[in-house]
Amino acid sequence: MRVLGIETSCDETGVAIYDTENGLLGHTLYSQVKLHADYGGVVPELASRDHVRKSIPLIHEVFKQAQLSSDDIDGVAYTAGPGLVGALLVGACLGRSLAYGWDKPAIAVHHMEGHLLAPMLETPQPQFPFIALLVSGGHTQLVDVQGIGQYQLLGESLDDAAGEAFDKTAKLMGLDYPGGPRLAKLAQQGKDVGYQFPRPMTDRPGLDFSFSGLKTFTANTLAKAGTDQQSLADVALAFEQAVVDTLVIKCQRALKQCGRKRLVIAGGVSANVRLREQLQSAVQKRGGEVFYPRPAFCTDNGAMIALAGALRLQAGQSTDLAIKTYPRWPLADLPALA
């Protein structure tokens, strides 16, 4: 089954074609970073308008990559949530309309299920069951995954997501948008000078997270540390290590609690090199395995939506003609595959 996937949940327009027998046939992505940089964050109305401008040219481009036409497509998948409602509506209206015009089935895809399944774009693929760490600018969640649609939320951030904490802390340091990747790059120049940053909520039972306090702690540290480049790098390193240590501790706790050996990490923050290295080391010491997508598929992309949609369409699921989007959409609400 060949499925066209369309992703427009926030500030990146992603389009891809996935074949359940031959894998990814083509993908393309347009980032709106430059569009929103002057505002220091995503402006929803501008994001929606840019998706309108870019979606159809990207669809033409991915068909050209794959050397296919609409006649070769068996279904259309589009992100229906969670995300910015205006941006979601662009992809949902386009995807549902194309499917109707081509007389093909359509499927509304959960954005976070796309991230969760993104490591299946790689070889080897993770086998069920596993623990998933979904870590991005909008979400930090630990999920016990027994199969597609069989998701049990184990813990989540009670305030800022990890990626959001990265971005807000980067802004405190005067780093340009998008701040998270810039902070991680700055941390590579940092030295361990003995800053004692907290590892939030690791001193108590449970799998929930809290990162807003780290932003305040960083602000107080910066006030004493100075604003020269090396001082900023040292603070960036201490902040990044605190976030990474917190995530690693919670992942180990989740694996032990559920008796799992496999860990999947996905979402924009999963591209962080320090996080990957430390999770790999910690899980391997337990005799387990870690799976993650290549960096290009950590951030929002059409490939993960095409894959998730293909798996559900192949199982006989589809979405009716009504166009619905879900700015908030719990993973646990998704139907399981038979």
Side-chain angles (χ1 to χ4, degrees), residues 194-271:
Y195 289 125
Q196 299 297 313
F197 274 55
R199 273 58 175 165
M201 298 185 71
T202 59
D203 59 348
R204 66 192 78 175
L207 295 170
D208 286 329
F209 302 90
S210 173
F211 293 108
S212 64
L214 276 177
K215 179 190 66 177
T216 304
F217 193 94
T218 304
N220 293 334
T221 304
L222 285 169
K224 302 173 185 177
T227 57
D228 62 279
Q229 188 72 5
Q230 187 58 55
S231 295
L232 289 176
D234 295 343
V235 174
L237 173 62
F239 168 82
E240 182 184 57
Q241 190 60 67
V243 174
V244 168
D245 284 352
T246 301
L247 293 171
V248 171
I249 290 168
K250 295 285 185 168
C251 285
Q252 289 180 296
R253 192 177 291 179
L255 289 165
K256 182 178 180 181
Q257 178 178 308
C258 298
R260 305 293 187 218
K261 291 290 188 181
R262 288 180 287 273
L263 175 70
V264 159
I265 57 171
V269 182
S270 70

Side-chain angles (χ1 to χ4, degrees), residues 33-265:
V33 165
K34 291 182 179 178
L35 176 66
H36 302 289
D38 289 343
Y39 304 94
V42 178
V43 181
E45 179 63 23
L46 294 181
S48 302
R49 293 179 182 181
D50 215 43
H51 288 309
V52 172
R53 284 191 290 265
K54 300 298 182 181
S55 295
I56 291 179
L58 290 178
I59 289 172
H60 287 307
E61 183 179 334
V62 84
F63 271 117
K64 186 176 180 179
Q65 276 186 24
Q67 297 183 329
L68 299 173
S69 72
S70 59
D71 292 336
D72 301 308
I73 295 298
D74 300 305
V76 179
Y78 57 88
T79 304
L84 302 176
V85 65
L88 291 168
L89 279 168
V90 175
C93 290
L94 177 58
R96 196 64 197 81
S97 299
L98 288 175
Y100 182 78
W102 295 340
D103 195 23
K104 310 289 184 181
I107 188 77
V109 173
H110 192 294
H111 178 76
M112 297 311 294
E113 181 173 64
H115 277 303
L116 188 152
L117 298 177
M120 293 185 176
L121 292 164
E122 312 297 348
T123 303
Q125 295 183 346
Q127 301 298 308
F128 300 113
F130 55 76
I131 298 295
L133 171 65
L134 304 178
V135 57
S136 66
H139 299 82
T140 302
Q141 298 178 331
L142 278 166
V143 183
D144 185 27
V145 181
Q146 297 188 43
I148 296 175
Q150 300 177 51
Y151 308 132
Q152 180 186 358
L153 181 65
L154 302 173
E156 61 185 338
S157 182
L158 304 179
D159 40 57
D160 291 350
E164 185 179 4
F166 264 93
D167 288 339
K168 288 181 176 179
T169 302
K171 194 169 186 178
L172 287 175
M173 294 182 173
L175 301 178
D176 292 336
Y177 174 84
R182 297 181 190 279
L183 188 151
K185 185 175 182 179
L186 179 62
Q188 294 175 0
Q189 305 168 26
K191 299 176 183 178
D192 185 354
V193 295
Y195 289 125
Q196 299 297 313
F197 274 55
R199 273 58 175 165
M201 298 185 71
T202 59
D203 59 348
R204 66 192 78 175
L207 295 170
D208 286 329
F209 302 90
S210 173
F211 293 108
S212 64
L214 276 177
K215 179 190 66 177
T216 304
F217 193 94
T218 304
N220 293 334
T221 304
L222 285 169
K224 302 173 185 177
T227 57
D228 62 279
Q229 188 72 5
Q230 187 58 55
S231 295
L232 289 176
D234 295 343
V235 174
L237 173 62
F239 168 82
E240 182 184 57
Q241 190 60 67
V243 174
V244 168
D245 284 352
T246 301
L247 293 171
V248 171
I249 290 168
K250 295 285 185 168
C251 285
Q252 289 180 296
R253 192 177 291 179
L255 289 165
K256 182 178 180 181
Q257 178 178 308
C258 298
R260 305 293 187 218
K261 291 290 188 181
R262 288 180 287 273
L263 175 70
V264 159
I265 57 171

